[in-house]
Amino acid sequence: MDVHASEKEQVEALRKWWKENGSSVVTGVLLGLSVLLGSKAWQSYQERQTLGASNLYAQMLAYAGEQGGDVQQAEQVRTLANQLITDHSGSVYASLAALMLARQAVEQGELPAAQAQLQWALDHADTAEIRHTARTRLIRLLIDQAMYDA
């Protein structure tokens, strides 16, 4: 048996319920939509950041891989690597850029700079492979400098 016998009573009950609960329903819907849109915006932002870091890294590798290795190309590699480290320090590309800077520093005989870059890569690397590579290169560098205690 229906509690509300007539259609008019049902409409009146619905209005009463909406008056009591309408603001909660609207708030819930708006909150849900804002969480959904916020998460989509955050994912989009992270995707753009990753894409930007990837593009910088690809440019850096292109300059590093060019034959001839003149001073201007080395400076461009250094600039792009420093930009990666500064702007995208949380990405894997920043650690790889630090390894590239360390390689350049060793080639130029700037061993303390290479040591600093390798230590940075070791401290900030996200993957075990990059940490292992940075640690191995740092150990080789310290051995070359006869810094056995370090």
Side-chain angles (χ1 to χ4, degrees):
M1 183 166 174
D2 195 355
V3 176
H4 304 290
S6 72
E7 187 176 313
K8 193 173 192 177
E9 288 175 343
Q10 289 178 353
V11 169
E12 192 58 40
L14 183 61
R15 283 186 183 158
K16 182 181 174 192
W17 180 88
W18 183 254
K19 190 173 187 176
E20 292 172 0
N21 300 310
S23 64
S24 297
V25 169
V26 170
T27 302
V29 168
L30 290 177
L31 185 62
L33 284 174
S34 64
V35 167
L36 180 66
L37 293 175
S39 67
K40 291 288 185 185
W42 178 251
Q43 288 173 348
S44 176
Y45 169 76
Q46 286 184 319
E47 192 174 299
R48 282 192 314 272
Q49 289 294 101
T50 302
L51 184 60
S54 175
N55 287 337
L56 280 174
Y57 185 71
Q59 289 175 5
M60 184 189 74
L61 287 181
Y63 281 109
E66 289 180 7
Q67 297 297 325
D70 65 2
V71 176
Q72 201 172 28
Q73 289 172 339
E75 186 58 37
Q76 189 66 26
V77 169
R78 205 172 301 116
T79 301
L80 290 169
N82 284 325
Q83 185 178 355
L84 263 171
I85 291 170
T86 302
D87 297 345
H88 305 280
S89 62
S91 73
V92 69
Y93 297 110
S95 299
L96 293 171
L99 291 176
M100 178 69 74
L101 286 175
R103 186 184 93 191
Q104 275 190 337
V106 166
E107 289 172 354
Q108 296 172 355
E110 301 170 1
L111 299 183
Q115 183 177 346
Q117 291 297 334
L118 289 171
Q119 188 63 51
W120 190 93
L122 182 61
D123 293 340
H124 293 87
D126 290 342
T127 64
E129 293 84 3
I130 294 175
R131 276 193 302 275
H132 179 69
T133 301
R135 185 179 302 113
T136 303
R137 291 180 185 179
L138 183 58
I139 289 170
R140 279 194 231 151
L141 185 65
L142 292 172
I143 289 172
D144 286 345
Q145 296 179 54
M147 299 174 74
Y148 303 117
D149 292 337

